[in-house]
């Protein structure tokens, strides 16, 4: 029986993956850095471990066949040791990557895409069986706007070129199908939402969901940097996000991968906004 370890199991995507696997009766173990009470993760077995300490993963990996890997760091330092630990017990990794990764590029356009490209290369060279999910921007990233929306009704930040933002439940649903199918090896799936949307359009959709007029206001990079640092985000993450915002070009890429793999069409951003309206009220 295929037993699956889900990393990032308390995050927006990982929690959905663990919950959906458990709901289908698939053996799933959720990796967390801190102990969780029984039943805290929607029926998934919970194991404590930290990707920053590969030696802590041994018990979590016991009797595991497949690992869903979300890499939470800004460098690949430590990744070889984690992949080695995985390889001692599991045979396959499904990695959550970025749709911005370009196969034909010697260097990627920004630090975040470069990180994902480097992780993909390490995984492909690890000796493990692998599958990669290259996701477009995940809609749940906009939850970071909640405080601004509640306080002012205005989202201020650097503008980012429009892309086909994807619902985290759709990313998770694809992940579940790929994780559960041992034939999904040496494949790279590109996941998008059904339509290209700008930041202003996303803010407008959230406003419609909560019944309140909202607007997006672009601000200079320096202003955005000051606010992000004041919010407590790590400086290295702030710089990576700002570099990504500055260098990302508009993408009109819309794929049918979500529907092809799950049998259901990808959810729109408006559906996402309706699903999460309470977070912005």
């Amino acid at each position: 029986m295929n037993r699956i370890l889900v990393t990032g199991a308390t995050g927006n995507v990982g929690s959905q993956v663990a919950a959906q696997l458990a709901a289908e009766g698939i053996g799933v173990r959720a990796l967390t850095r801190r102990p969780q009470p029984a039943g805290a993760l929607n029926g998934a077995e919970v194991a404590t471990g930290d990707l920053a300490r590969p030696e802590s993963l041994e018990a979590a990996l016991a009797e595991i066949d497949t690992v869903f890997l979300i890499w939470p760091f800004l460098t690949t330092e430590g990744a070889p040791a984690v992949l080695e630990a995985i390889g001692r017990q599991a045979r396959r990794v499904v990695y959550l990557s970025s749709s911005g990764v370009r196969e034909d590029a010697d260097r990627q356009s920004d630090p975040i895409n470069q990180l994902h490209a480097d992780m993909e290369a390490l995984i492909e060279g690890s000796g493990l069986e692998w599958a990669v999910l290259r996701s477009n921007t995940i809609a749940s990233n906009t939850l970071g706007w909640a405080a601004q929306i509640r306080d002012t009704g205005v989202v201020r930040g650097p503008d980012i070129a429009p892309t086909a933002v994807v619902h985290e439940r759709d990313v998770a649903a694809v992940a579940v199908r790929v994780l559960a199918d041992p034939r999904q090896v040496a494949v790279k799936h590109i996941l998008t939402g059904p339509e290209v949307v700008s930041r202003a359009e996303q803010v407008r959709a959230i406003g419609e969901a909560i019944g309140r007029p909202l607007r997006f206001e672009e601000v200079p990079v320096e202003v955005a940097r000051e606010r992000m640092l004041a919010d407590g985000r790590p400086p290295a993450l702030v710089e990576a996000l700002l570099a990504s915002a500055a260098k990302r070009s508009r993408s009109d890429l819309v794929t049918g991968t979500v529907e092809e793999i799950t049998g259901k069409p990808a959810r729109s951003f408006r559906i996402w906004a309706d699903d999460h309206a309470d977070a912005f009220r």
Side-chain angles (χ1 to χ4, degrees):
M1 180 178 177
N2 190 19
R3 288 179 57 80
I4 297 164
L5 178 70
V6 176
T7 71
T10 58
N12 292 320
V13 175
S15 61
Q16 284 287 328
V17 173
Q20 292 184 32
L21 286 167
E24 294 197 14
I26 297 171
V28 56
R29 184 178 294 159
L31 182 71
T32 69
R33 288 182 298 166
R34 299 177 183 86
Q36 301 283 330
L41 295 178
N42 299 308
E45 177 189 352
V46 178
T48 304
D50 190 340
L51 293 176
R53 298 187 297 112
E55 69 279 5
S56 73
L57 302 176
E58 183 175 356
L61 285 163
E63 300 180 345
I64 291 294
D65 300 306
T66 303
V67 174
F68 180 63
L69 180 60
I70 297 176
W71 190 247
F73 309 113
L74 291 174
T75 76
T76 59
E77 183 180 358
V82 168
L83 292 172
E84 184 179 341
I86 292 172
R88 285 196 290 269
Q89 303 203 52
R91 61 179 179 81
R92 188 165 66 113
V93 169
V94 177
Y95 175 64
L96 183 61
S97 185
S98 167
S99 64
V101 173
R102 296 289 176 261
E103 297 278 0
D104 56 353
D106 292 332
R107 295 291 298 175
Q108 301 297 318
S109 60
D110 64 70
I112 293 176
N113 283 332
Q114 188 61 54
L115 168 69
H116 285 301
D118 292 343
M119 283 297 298
E120 288 186 20
L122 286 172
I123 290 167
E124 290 176 37
S126 68
L128 288 156
E129 296 178 357
W130 57 268
V132 170
L133 307 182
R134 287 181 173 171
S135 173
N136 208 314
T137 301
I138 297 174
S140 56
N141 291 351
T142 61
L143 290 169
W145 299 341
Q148 291 189 72
I149 287 173
R150 288 193 298 266
D151 293 344
T152 69
V154 180
V155 174
R156 296 179 175 88
D159 204 2
I160 294 179
T163 61
V165 177
V166 61
H167 198 306
E168 68 272 10
R169 289 185 183 174
D170 289 332
V171 176
V174 171
V176 167
R177 299 274 64 83
V178 173
L179 287 162
D181 185 353
R183 298 168 298 178
Q184 290 273 352
V185 174
V187 294
K188 297 179 181 179
H189 297 298
I190 300 177
L191 314 181
T192 76
E195 59 188 354
V196 174
V197 289
S198 67
R199 281 199 152 186
E201 289 168 333
Q202 292 170 58
V203 171
R204 190 178 308 121
I206 294 169
E208 291 170 355
I210 66 175
R212 179 183 171 197
L214 306 175
R215 64 184 174 87
F216 175 75
E217 181 181 301
E218 183 179 3
V219 300
V221 168
E222 285 305 319
V223 175
R225 178 181 287 110
E226 290 175 6
R227 181 180 180 91
M228 294 165 79
L229 291 172
D231 288 343
R233 300 193 190 190
L237 175 60
V238 170
E239 295 307 319
L241 292 172
L242 291 175
S244 176
K247 295 179 180 180
R248 181 176 298 175
S249 58
R250 179 187 175 97
S251 171
D252 293 319
L253 176 67
V254 175
T255 71
T257 307
V258 170
E259 185 167 12
E260 290 166 8
I261 292 180
T262 69
K264 297 179 180 179
R267 298 169 174 88
S268 67
F269 186 84
R270 177 53 198 269
I271 290 175
W272 182 91
D274 288 339
D275 289 344
H276 296 80
D278 286 347
F280 298 97
R281 291 193 171 106

